[in-house]
Amino acid sequence: MGGDQGPATVVAGISRSAKKNPDVAFILHGPRDELERLVAKRRNLAGRCEIRDATDVVHMEDKPSHVMRHGTETSMWSALESVRNGEATVCVSCGNTGALMVLSMVRLKKLPGVNRPAIAVLWPSRNPHGFNVMLDVGADIRADAQDLLQYALMGASYARNGLALERPRIGLLNVGTEEHKGRAELKAAHDLIAANAEKARFDFVGFVEGGDIPGNRCDVIVTDGFTGNIALKTGEGTASLIGDLLKEAFEYTPLSRIAALLALTSLRRLKKRIDPRRVNGGVFLGLNGTVVKSHGAADATGVSAAVKLAFQLAQSGFSEKIAARLAAATSQLEDMKNEKDVAE
Amino acid sequence: MGGDQGPATVVAGISRSAKKNPDVAFILHGPRDELERLVAKRRNLAGRCEIRDATDVVHMEDKPSHVMRHGTETSMWSALESVRNGEATVCVSCGNTGALMVLSMVRLKKLPGVNRPAIAVLWPSRNPHGFNVMLDVGADIRADAQDLLQYALMGASYARNGLALERPRIGLLNVGTEEHKGRAELKAAHDLIAANAEKARFDFVGFVEGGDIPGNRCDVIVTDGFTGNIALKTGEGTASLIGDLLKEAFEYTPLSRIAALLALTSLRRLKKRIDPRRVNGGVFLGLNGTVVKSHGAADATGVSAAVKLAFQLAQSGFSEKIAARLAAATSQLEDMKNEKDVAE
């Protein structure tokens, strides 16, 4: 209910998904009357869509702490509840990111051993499969070395299950690729991640730079949520500026207008390749249950892309795989600590 | 001497500048024989180019600390020396950024009251004048609230003298525009910058996000050097990826190849608008003297753009203006502190 486009767009989106995927079913959360009216208009949703009445809505400007205390009647709360009690396999929301993160942490709880959950996004890149994974892009504004290691482990699992990469290449975002550069916690994280690469079946390429986020040096970019959020929005803003300038350029002369007509298919292909709606959906990692956060402004195509991603992750059983991976790394760290204690 | 393309490219670049601007003259630093041979090939440099013999070179992989101790015979050292002793008005270098920053700080010294100097770049944007200023993009990997205030003051001066903006709009980079978001030092910087806006003749628009870096909400984006460096390289990488995909799209079918021919002028216009070579040059702010850092991989066009920027800044007497502005802000801060002490 809390997305910028309202529930009609969400219903239009899930209707698209339902057409494409016969195995997906939905539980919608919000005012029953309104949702029943919207669903009734889409014949292909008949029998595939339950509704849970929720009268309240989390608004974009609501503070997460306020939602936590007073949000029990909201559609967001109800949606997470359905994952918590096992009715739904995964939650998709277009709402307030901060509130969704805090509610997810409180209601679904963090996986054992996870200190800070993370939000991972897919990023158009020069990789053969077309995308890189970046995390964290804004679940938390800080991360220590131990958190960055967990992001690497969770990101590797995501790349394996979401992008089907057997042995993902992990990079740690820094201001230079030389090992002497950057903040102290990054140097510590560098060594921790390197030590875990073999056991967790990923390749660690070391430090990477901003230019590698859309590049082909690695598949997963690990960073703190402050830096990741700035990078994500800078990339989106740059792409959007270039797109608009391109449009302007093609409208400049009669000749260029003809060119635009001739190149229409090629330009559409390019647009599709870098269209953020096609990779719509940040995934919350490190929780007991999967939550996919769609863009607040997502249209029906965007909602449908988020549902597709949610379905893939749910089917791969990826939440359980991350839990197992983190448990292994945690016990390894404990062993290392104990050995050190014994040695001392 | 230490740029990726070697001295021939630098000489080709200053030759372009010399053609366009009859008021510019050069002092070149490096091995005399080699430079004399290169300069002799360019007739328009005759009589406008002195040479200072410097036998050693700072390489891209040299650590700044090593250059500081053993670099007295390098061309970089010699170039900064000519600014220090007043022979040159401004220094332009394509070399190792870290070494150039450290040498600049040690040889030119920081302006009174400056804690951390900053590197400022111009960024293609939706602004009517086509560019935003962003700083710091990598002089230092951290910045406290006081440093961020100084970046705001220096960035405002740069926008006034480099972009001719009477009353620049300053934004502070954060992960959200709400005042309760972000790190503690950002909240403190927010209040400090707001308190100085009126006296320093700029408008403070408050927190801005990554998407505003190429946007039109502000003219100057203030951030720490770690975040700024990541954002800069993410933006460059994204633009470069889109450019390559665009090229691919136009080569895809015979029809799109014809379209590319028809749209050639329009596409060139676009390319020129976002060409990083046109705005080549990070400016070191906060020192006794102006230093312009060109891209290491700059070609002749890039070198010439950096020289143009250096000339503009030197002519506006902008180094002196920044010094005056910072002195005023520092004395204001002292006054505030004293008033507070008296009140307590």
Side-chain angles (χ1 to χ4, degrees):
Chain A
M1 294 303 298
D4 298 338
Q5 313 285 324
T9 301
V10 173
V11 174
I14 65 169
S15 164
R16 282 188 191 215
S17 299
K19 261 178 220 155
K20 286 183 197 159
N21 183 346
D23 296 327
V24 66
F26 304 93
I27 309 175
L28 281 178
H29 305 260
R32 181 177 297 277
D33 289 356
E34 189 174 357
L35 293 181
E36 276 179 348
R37 207 167 47 241
L38 289 167
V39 168
K41 284 187 203 154
R42 310 272 170 179
R43 290 220 186 127
N44 68 332
L45 288 178
R48 298 175 66 179
C49 207
E50 290 174 53
I51 289 166
R52 295 278 183 283
D53 194 37
T55 48
D56 202 1
V57 176
V58 175
H59 297 99
M60 285 300 184
E61 64 280 7
D62 288 348
K63 286 198 189 183
S65 53
H66 179 265
V67 177
M68 213 175 69
R69 281 194 303 272
H70 308 286
T72 51
E73 302 305 316
T74 61
S75 55
M76 189 184 279
W77 190 292
S78 174
L80 288 169
E81 211 53 30
S82 67
V83 171
R84 186 171 186 248
N85 63 27
E87 289 179 294
T89 326
V90 47
C91 167
V92 177
S93 168
C94 303
N96 180 325
T97 307
L100 185 63
M101 190 75 219
V102 168
L103 277 195
S104 297
M105 277 175 60
V106 171
R107 301 304 292 164
L108 300 182
K109 299 268 187 298
K110 295 184 279 184
L111 283 172
V114 168
N115 180 27
R116 300 179 205 267
I119 305 176
V121 291
L122 293 175
W123 189 291
S125 82
R126 293 179 196 273
N127 263 345
H129 43 277
F131 299 101
N132 285 338
V133 174
M134 179 160 77
L135 75 168
D136 172 33
V137 299
D140 206 314
I141 51 169
R142 67 198 73 221
D144 63 19
Q146 185 66 40
D147 298 327
L148 292 168
L149 166 62
Q150 295 187 339
Y151 295 172
L153 296 168
M154 297 193 292
S157 274
Y158 182 27
R160 211 172 282 124
N161 296 287
L163 299 175
L165 294 173
E166 199 44 50
R167 203 178 167 86
R169 297 166 298 166
I170 312 287
L172 183 59
L173 192 61
N174 199 350
V175 292
T177 53
E178 302 87 353
E179 290 193 17
H180 64 273
K181 280 194 174 176
R183 295 171 170 163
E185 74 265 28
L186 285 177
K187 289 172 207 170
H190 183 283
D191 298 344
L192 269 182
I193 297 174
N196 274 271
E198 203 39 54
K199 199 159 183 184
R201 291 186 298 124
F202 61 75
D203 290 326
F204 182 47
V205 305
F207 289 136
V208 297
E209 300 187 83
D212 296 314
I213 299 177
N216 189 18
R217 276 195 63 212
C218 60
D219 309 300
V220 178
I221 292 100
V222 170
T223 187
D224 66 276
F226 184 90
T227 310
N229 184 279
I230 301 277
L232 176 67
K233 288 182 178 165
T234 303
E236 285 174 350
T238 305
S240 143
L241 172 65
I242 296 176
D244 289 353
L245 292 175
L246 194 61
K247 230 178 273 166
E248 259 176 48
F250 275 113
E251 280 162 6
Y252 205 75
T253 66
L255 204 62
S256 63
R257 262 181 239 132
I258 295 170
L261 279 178
L262 290 180
L264 207 59
T265 337
S266 303
L267 289 175
R268 280 208 185 125
R269 199 180 304 116
L270 168 66
K271 204 179 160 194
K272 204 177 160 191
R273 172 85 162 73
I274 56 169
D275 187 351
R277 298 179 308 169
R278 272 187 68 230
V279 289
N280 183 30
V283 179
F284 291 2
L285 302 176
L287 301 168
N288 290 298
T290 304
V291 177
V292 173
K293 168 63 179 67
S294 157
H295 254 288
D299 58 8
T301 308
V303 170
S304 177
V307 167
K308 186 181 172 190
L309 176 62
F311 184 85
Q312 278 174 345
L313 292 174
Q315 242 191 1
S316 72
F318 131 95
S319 193
E320 295 73 25
K321 287 179 186 168
I322 283 196
R325 180 64 64 200
L326 286 172
T330 309
S331 78
Q332 190 187 3
L333 274 174
E334 291 297 323
D335 289 351
M336 282 164 67
K337 237 190 246 167
N338 292 340
E339 277 165 32
K340 213 177 141 203
D341 288 348
V342 171
E344 280 165 359
Chain B
M1 295 302 297
D4 298 338
Q5 313 285 324
T9 302
V10 173
V11 174
I14 65 170
S15 165
R16 283 188 190 214
S17 299
K19 261 179 221 155
K20 286 183 198 158
N21 183 346
D23 296 327
V24 66
F26 304 94
I27 308 175
L28 281 178
H29 305 260
R32 183 177 295 279
D33 290 355
E34 190 175 356
L35 293 181
E36 277 179 347
R37 210 168 44 243
L38 289 168
V39 168
K41 284 187 201 153
R42 309 271 169 179
R43 289 219 186 131
N44 68 330
L45 288 178
R48 297 176 66 179
C49 207
E50 289 175 53
I51 288 167
R52 296 278 184 282
D53 194 37
T55 49
D56 202 2
V57 176
V58 176
H59 298 100
M60 285 299 183
E61 64 280 8
D62 289 347
K63 285 196 188 183
S65 53
H66 179 265
V67 177
M68 213 175 70
R69 281 194 303 271
H70 307 287
T72 50
E73 303 305 316
T74 60
S75 55
M76 189 184 278
W77 190 291
S78 175
L80 288 169
E81 212 52 31
S82 67
V83 171
R84 187 171 185 246
N85 63 27
E87 290 180 292
T89 327
V90 46
C91 167
V92 177
S93 168
C94 305
N96 180 324
T97 308
L100 185 64
M101 189 75 219
V102 169
L103 277 195
S104 299
M105 278 176 61
V106 170
R107 301 305 294 165
L108 301 181
K109 299 268 188 299
K110 296 183 281 184
L111 284 172
V114 168
N115 179 28
R116 302 179 204 267
I119 305 177
V121 292
L122 293 175
W123 189 291
S125 81
R126 293 179 195 272
N127 262 345
H129 44 278
F131 299 103
N132 284 338
V133 174
M134 178 159 79
L135 76 167
D136 172 32
V137 299
D140 205 315
I141 51 169
R142 67 199 71 223
D144 63 18
Q146 186 65 37
D147 298 326
L148 293 168
L149 166 62
Q150 294 188 339
Y151 296 172
L153 295 168
M154 298 194 292
S157 274
Y158 182 27
R160 211 172 282 125
N161 296 287
L163 298 176
L165 294 172
E166 199 45 49
R167 203 177 167 86
R169 298 166 297 166
I170 311 286
L172 183 59
L173 192 61
N174 199 350
V175 292
T177 52
E178 303 87 351
E179 291 193 17
H180 64 274
K181 279 195 176 176
R183 295 169 171 164
E185 74 266 28
L186 285 177
K187 289 172 207 169
H190 183 284
D191 297 345
L192 269 182
I193 297 174
N196 274 272
E198 202 40 53
K199 198 158 185 183
R201 290 187 298 124
F202 60 75
D203 289 326
F204 182 48
V205 305
F207 290 135
V208 297
E209 299 188 82
D212 296 314
I213 299 177
N216 189 18
R217 276 195 64 210
C218 60
D219 308 299
V220 177
I221 293 99
V222 170
T223 187
D224 66 276
F226 184 90
T227 311
N229 184 278
I230 301 276
L232 176 68
K233 290 183 177 165
T234 303
E236 286 175 348
T238 305
S240 143
L241 172 66
I242 296 176
D244 289 353
L245 292 175
L246 194 60
K247 231 179 272 167
E248 257 176 49
F250 275 114
E251 281 162 6
Y252 205 76
T253 67
L255 205 62
S256 62
R257 262 180 240 135
I258 296 170
L261 278 178
L262 290 180
L264 208 58
T265 336
S266 303
L267 288 175
R268 279 208 187 123
R269 198 179 307 117
L270 168 66
K271 205 181 161 193
K272 204 176 160 194
R273 172 85 162 74
I274 59 170
D275 187 350
R277 298 179 307 169
R278 273 186 67 230
V279 289
N280 184 31
V283 179
F284 292 2
L285 302 175
L287 302 167
N288 290 297
T290 305
V291 178
V292 173
K293 167 63 180 67
S294 156
H295 253 288
D299 59 9
T301 309
V303 170
S304 177
V307 167
K308 186 181 172 190
L309 176 62
F311 185 86
Q312 278 174 345
L313 292 174
Q315 242 190 1
S316 73
F318 133 94
S319 194
E320 296 73 25
K321 287 180 185 166
I322 284 196
R325 181 62 63 203
L326 286 172
T330 309
S331 76
Q332 189 188 4
L333 273 173
E334 291 297 323
D335 289 351
M336 281 165 66
K337 236 191 245 166
N338 293 340
E339 277 165 31
K340 214 177 140 203
D341 288 348
V342 170
E344 278 166 358

